[in-house]
Each structure stands twice: as C-alpha cells, then as structure tokens.
C-alpha cells in the first residue's frame, strides 16, 4: 500500500476548503467542545432516562468535534452518540484522547502536500 492509497481526506471534498484565519486557536475550541461532550455524558450517566432526549445534542457536538479534528467521516456512525452516552467515563475519555491524538485541527498535518 502506498501513501497515495491512504484516505487522507476524512472530511471529503464537500466539507473541506482552504482558509486563512485569525482568531481563537482551534485547539482551544476543541478543548471546549470536549468539555461540552464530557458534561453531556456526565448528565446522561446521572439521568439514564434522559438519554434518548440527549441523542441529538450529543450528535451535533460530536459532528462539530470530529469536523474540527478533520475526522468528520467518523460522524457517519449512527450509533456513535448513543454508544458514547452509554459508555463509562473511562471509555469516553479514551475516545476523546484518540480523536485528539489521531485528528488534526490544522488540516491533516500537511500530509496531503507534495
């Protein structure tokens, strides 16, 4: 398998565009999204009867978080929101760490540049 065979564009061409920006660092935005996901997860664990009502807010938080980390394709997993709402705190922390470690708020770390 060559580097050309690797799916480097997890967001797909419909969701990517070159941009220059000046503002709040995207790492900061990602950190705040992570905290929002953690708080929603905590609430779902304390109020399991509310999980179905929390699916849409969790889904949109996950889409934003995954999109920010250039991993939007992972949001196509329709069971992700419920799985994370039902997961343990350790499971959620592990998932968030994986996204932060494997994703890239700067745009695929320049892997797609010649």
């Amino acid at each position: 398998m060559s580097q050309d065979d690797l799916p480097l564009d997890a967001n797909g061409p419909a969701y990517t565009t070159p941009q220059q920006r000046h503002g709040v660092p995207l790492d900061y935005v990602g950190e705040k999204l992570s905290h929002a996901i953690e708080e929603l997860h905590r609430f779902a664990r304390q109020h399991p009867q509310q999980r179905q009502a929390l699916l849409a807010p969790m889904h949109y938080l996950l889409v934003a978080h995954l999109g920010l980390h250039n991993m939007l394709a992972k949001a196509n997993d329709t069971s992700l929101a419920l799985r994370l709402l039902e997961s343990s705190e350790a499971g959620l922390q592990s998932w968030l760490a994986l996204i932060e470690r494997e994703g890239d708020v700067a745009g695929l770390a320049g892997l797609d540049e010649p």
Side-chain angles (χ1 to χ4, degrees), residues 27-79:
D27 287 334
Y28 175 82
V29 175
E31 177 186 330
K32 298 311 171 200
L33 281 170
S34 290
H35 291 318
I37 291 168
E38 290 167 344
E39 289 300 322
L40 194 61
H41 177 264
R42 187 172 296 115
F43 183 84
R45 301 274 298 163
Q46 293 170 352
H47 306 280
Q49 71 280 9
Q50 297 293 322
R51 283 191 187 139
Q52 287 299 314
L54 299 174
L55 283 176
M58 180 61 106
H59 170 74
Y60 290 118
L61 283 171
L62 294 173
V63 168
H65 192 63
L66 289 165
L68 180 66
H69 286 85
N70 285 299
M71 298 182 82
L72 192 55
K74 298 287 186 193
N76 290 333
D77 179 352
T78 57
S79 67

Side-chain angles (χ1 to χ4, degrees), residues 1 3 5 7 9 13 25 30 36 41-42 46 54 62 74 81 91 93 96 111:
M1 177 181 276
Q3 182 176 352
D5 295 330
D9 192 358
H41 177 264
R42 187 172 296 115
Q46 293 170 352
L54 299 174
L62 294 173
K74 298 287 186 193
Q93 292 302 319
L96 289 169
L111 292 177

Side-chain angles (χ1 to χ4, degrees), residues 8-29:
L8 297 178
D9 192 358
N11 290 330
Y15 297 103
T16 58
T17 183
Q19 291 185 344
Q20 284 187 323
R21 63 182 312 277
H22 180 77
V24 176
L26 296 179
D27 287 334
Y28 175 82
V29 175

Side-chain angles (χ1 to χ4, degrees), residues 70-93:
N70 285 299
M71 298 182 82
L72 192 55
K74 298 287 186 193
N76 290 333
D77 179 352
T78 57
S79 67
L80 181 60
L82 184 58
R83 282 198 339 264
L84 288 177
L85 285 173
E86 292 177 340
S87 73
S88 66
E89 184 176 340
L92 179 71
Q93 292 302 319

Side-chain angles (χ1 to χ4, degrees), residues 4 30 70 94:
D4 294 335
N70 285 299
S94 176

